[in-house]
Amino acid sequence: MTTTVDDALEHGGEFHFFQKQMFLLLSLLSVAFTPIYVGIVFLGFTPDHRCRSPGVAELSLHCGWSPAEELNYTVPGPGPGGEASARQCRRYEVDWNQSTLSCADPLASLDTNRSRLPLGPCRDGWLYETPGSSIVTEFNLVCANSWMLDLFQSSVNVGFFIGSMSIGYIADRFGRKLCLLTTILINAASGVLMAISPTYTWMLIFRLIQGLVSKASWLIGFILITEFVGRSYRRTVGIFYQAAFTVGLLMLAGVAYALPHWRWLQFTVTLPNFCFLLYYWCIPESPRWLISQNKNAEAMRIFKHIAKKNGKSLPASLQRLRLEEETGKKLNPSFLDLVRTPQIRKHTLILMYNWFTSSVLYQGLIMHMGLAGDNIYLEFFYSALVEFPAAFMVILTIDRIGRRYPWAASNIVAGAACLASGFIPGDLQWLRIIVSCLGRMGITMAYEIVCLVNAELYPTFIRNLGVHVCSSMCDIGGIITPFLVYRLTNIWLELPLMVFAVVGLVAGGLVLLLPETKGKALPETIEEAENMQRDQRSSTYLSVPPHLEL
């Protein structure tokens, strides 16, 4: 007879004081991850800017022009890249200090329709209409240098991708706790160094380093909390761990509003990460991982610690038993384990596609959804609020209905919303906003469920690796989504939505090919993971309708 992890947790407490304490501590990691994932909205905010032109400031002051009116006389009209781009990046090559220029139309005396006035690049820098500062205003990442802001945004996703592939292996090979503390330290140090970076190049390097470790740290926290609690509580803590990220979105909007200068904002959101190093004394190693490494005695000590914290005690019979989920030789994770066997290979491919879909639709719908007003802080705040109903809908459905059907339905709803939005007339803006919000809720649900199910489909010794590798596809999605949106829009304004619709609908269909994990114990071996689909079919075939029971 053997003792499983769930048996030990059932007697020592599935979600009592110890687990609640762990959940609170690890949820702070989820809150702190928000500025790294979406902080570019405020760090890289691009305000209204115009080419500086010697003499026009004095003329504007003399004539009483507003900055918007002044734009018409410092830069040309429509040109390559559109009127707005041209007005920001070029200027008339005229002498604004000529005394014959009038306030009504200073250029009329030089050329009636301005068609023959010489145009030139912006050689004297830019003027920004903003009360604070961002990396755009400090390093002049506009016009010809605007691609450098795109590179800055992409660098963190590149870091996410590389980190997910490599650190997931390290966490399964050397332990969750060691890897968590190491990534926290590197993340905090690189965040501070980015805040004091003297040049764009150094800032880009430290941003890349943050990407390498920050998402891995967030995922390790998610894995730890799901491995500490009993099976009946996994879905709840998984959903609320992700809801903590939404809380971070709301807090970030407030902090960014109070600190409109990017360096101070970066300091403020980074320094709390050093406090997480205290987790060395607060969070134990995952007993599930210890068992997968054949360290059963150490795992039993942690189970006793959990039981003591929860005011319970393990029965003497359990304490004498050897935990044998992975007895024998120590198992080392390998990337091949994710595709070596047929069922796990199918799980890996479907999960990778759904991570990719969730990222593309989540970010793509945000880009397409126009919120009332032009206040960046309020718009960010409102978009975050949409995610709370999605979390509660997940909680209400996945234990009553299961994981598969709500997951498939959320992808289908998101895809259908994209399809419908593409054909809503422009004069029905209120309907477009409602449909966009519905799509945002659907894909948020899909995002939360894929993170939960991903951890439930892999055996313990490759669970971290499986989650990190599959979730790396959302980083690929984050890299290409801006290109999908802005390049396809040049062909047809609604074409990106059509692409999102197809991607979402296909994802919903593929989900139905996965086994249901509702109420199932976490698989501990390759064999258990392979048999999940077979066990589900057997239980379906062997079930007897109520009216035929004896």
Side-chain angles (χ1 to χ4, degrees):
M1 179 179 179
T2 61
T3 300
T4 67
V5 173
D6 289 320
D7 291 335
L9 287 175
E10 184 177 352
H11 288 86
E14 290 186 291
F15 193 71
H16 290 74
F17 177 79
F18 171 81
Q19 285 87 357
K20 293 174 182 177
Q21 183 183 51
M22 293 300 100
F23 173 74
L24 178 61
L25 292 175
L26 293 171
S27 291
L28 295 177
L29 289 174
S30 188
V31 174
F33 177 58
T34 302
I36 301 169
Y37 191 74
V38 296
I40 187 63
V41 174
F42 302 109
L43 296 177
F45 173 59
T46 304
D48 291 336
H49 54 280
R50 58 189 175 86
C51 179
R52 187 188 302 273
S53 185
V56 76
E58 292 81 355
L59 183 63
S60 176
L61 181 64
H62 173 71
C63 296
W65 291 342
S66 67
E69 292 170 330
E70 185 177 318
L71 284 175
N72 294 325
Y73 296 104
T74 57
V75 288
E83 181 176 0
S85 175
R87 286 185 174 181
Q88 293 166 351
C89 301
R90 304 174 70 189
R91 72 177 191 184
Y92 290 116
E93 294 289 350
V94 299
D95 184 1
W96 293 99
N97 294 314
Q98 293 185 53
S99 58
T100 58
L101 298 180
S102 66
C103 291
D105 189 356
L107 299 176
S109 61
L110 299 176
D111 184 35
T112 305
N113 59 12
R114 308 178 189 176
S115 61
R116 292 187 297 274
L117 290 177
L119 304 177
C122 189
R123 292 189 293 268
D124 299 292
W126 290 267
L127 297 175
Y128 299 97
E129 300 296 330
T130 177
S133 68
S134 69
I135 61 174
V136 171
T137 61
E138 181 164 337
F139 298 104
N140 291 321
L141 307 184
V142 294
C143 299
N145 292 330
S146 59
W147 64 272
M148 299 172 73
L149 179 61
D150 299 335
L151 180 61
F152 181 82
Q153 295 178 11
S154 296
S155 65
V156 72
N157 282 287
V158 172
F160 288 162
F161 176 75
I162 298 174
S164 295
M165 300 292 286
S166 58
I167 297 180
Y169 172 84
I170 295 172
D172 279 331
R173 180 70 174 81
F174 299 103
R176 280 53 161 149
K177 182 176 179 178
L178 174 64
C179 196
L180 177 67
L181 294 172
T182 303
T183 54
I184 287 172
L185 177 60
I186 297 174
N187 179 34
S190 58
V192 169
L193 291 172
M194 192 185 98
I196 61 176
S197 297
T199 65
Y200 169 84
T201 302
W202 281 111
M203 182 183 65
L204 188 67
I205 292 172
F206 294 126
R207 180 68 168 173
L208 176 63
I209 295 174
Q210 271 199 307
L212 287 171
V213 296
S214 57
K215 183 187 173 185
S217 177
W218 184 87
L219 284 171
I220 293 170
F222 178 84
I223 294 294
L224 273 172
I225 191 58
T226 57
E227 292 186 337
F228 277 135
V229 303
R231 74 178 71 172
S232 59
Y233 292 93
R234 286 202 308 264
R235 60 95 180 174
T236 303
V237 298
I239 297 303
F240 277 102
Y241 182 81
Q242 295 173 78
F245 179 85
T246 305
V247 174
L249 294 176
L250 301 177
M251 294 176 61
L252 178 62
V255 174
Y257 178 78
L259 297 171
H261 299 276
W262 79 270
R263 290 189 185 272
W264 286 111
L265 176 61
Q266 178 67 16
F267 266 124
T268 303
V269 300
T270 298
L271 290 178
N273 284 277
F274 286 103
C275 298
F276 296 142
L277 294 175
L278 298 175
Y279 285 4
Y280 176 83
W281 293 277
C282 303
I283 297 178
E285 182 57 87
S286 166
R288 292 183 186 271
W289 178 81
L290 291 171
I291 292 170
S292 73
Q293 302 300 299
N294 206 25
K295 298 179 179 180
N296 298 330
E298 189 175 345
M300 183 56 74
R301 284 197 297 271
I302 294 177
F303 280 125
K304 292 178 180 179
H305 171 73
I306 293 174
K308 181 179 179 181
K309 280 276 191 178
N310 290 337
K312 297 178 178 292
S313 60
L314 292 177
S317 58
L318 284 180
Q319 296 184 34
R320 289 195 302 268
L321 291 175
R322 176 182 174 86
L323 296 168
E324 297 181 356
E325 283 87 344
E326 294 289 354
T327 56
K329 68 176 184 178
K330 177 179 173 182
L331 294 176
N332 294 323
S334 167
F335 287 100
L336 289 178
D337 291 324
L338 302 179
V339 295
R340 195 190 311 272
T341 54
Q343 290 301 319
I344 292 181
R345 179 167 58 247
K346 182 180 73 173
H347 299 170
T348 299
L349 295 176
I350 294 176
L351 288 168
M352 291 175 73
Y353 180 80
N354 270 269
W355 275 105
F356 174 83
T357 299
S358 297
S359 177
V360 169
L361 267 70
Y362 184 85
Q363 297 188 42
L365 285 174
I366 291 177
M367 294 178 186
H368 273 83
M369 183 173 62
L371 299 176
D374 56 356
N375 188 311
I376 186 176
Y377 305 103
L378 286 178
E379 291 178 0
F380 191 87
F381 184 85
Y382 293 151
S383 65
L385 287 177
V386 178
E387 300 187 8
F388 284 111
F392 285 110
M393 289 182 66
V394 170
I395 292 173
L396 291 174
T397 57
I398 62 174
D399 261 4
R400 292 173 173 83
I401 303 174
R403 272 65 156 160
R404 285 196 310 161
Y405 292 118
W407 187 10
S410 61
N411 275 303
I412 292 172
V413 167
C418 291
L419 185 63
S421 296
F423 296 99
I424 296 177
D427 56 348
L428 295 178
Q429 184 64 20
W430 61 271
L431 181 58
R432 180 185 290 268
I433 292 176
I434 292 175
V435 173
S436 297
C437 288
L438 185 63
R440 174 75 180 273
M441 289 178 60
I443 202 59
T444 300
M445 288 181 62
Y447 230 143
E448 293 178 349
I449 298 176
V450 68
C451 196
L452 173 66
V453 175
N454 201 153
E456 294 178 334
L457 287 175
Y458 287 106
T460 297
F461 82 102
I462 58 169
R463 184 168 297 125
N464 233 313
L465 179 64
V467 172
H468 281 75
V469 169
C470 292
S471 67
S472 67
M473 292 306 297
C474 79
D475 306 321
I476 300 297
I479 293 172
I480 71 171
T481 298
F483 297 96
L484 284 175
V485 173
Y486 299 119
R487 301 308 170 201
L488 296 182
T489 300
N490 293 332
I491 301 173
W492 177 35
L493 183 62
E494 311 300 345
L495 183 56
L497 293 177
M498 301 301 103
V499 174
F500 297 157
V502 172
V503 171
L505 294 173
V506 171
L510 290 175
V511 164
L512 298 176
L513 301 177
L514 294 173
E516 178 58 65
T517 58
K518 172 190 172 185
K520 301 287 184 66
L522 289 176
E524 303 293 347
T525 65
I526 293 287
E527 183 180 2
E528 290 180 10
E530 281 292 302
N531 290 334
M532 292 180 73
Q533 190 87 41
R534 187 183 310 160
D535 294 342
Q536 176 180 307
R537 291 173 181 170
S538 299
S539 64
T540 301
Y541 296 148
L542 296 176
S543 63
V544 180
H547 67 280
L548 295 180
E549 292 182 355
L550 295 177

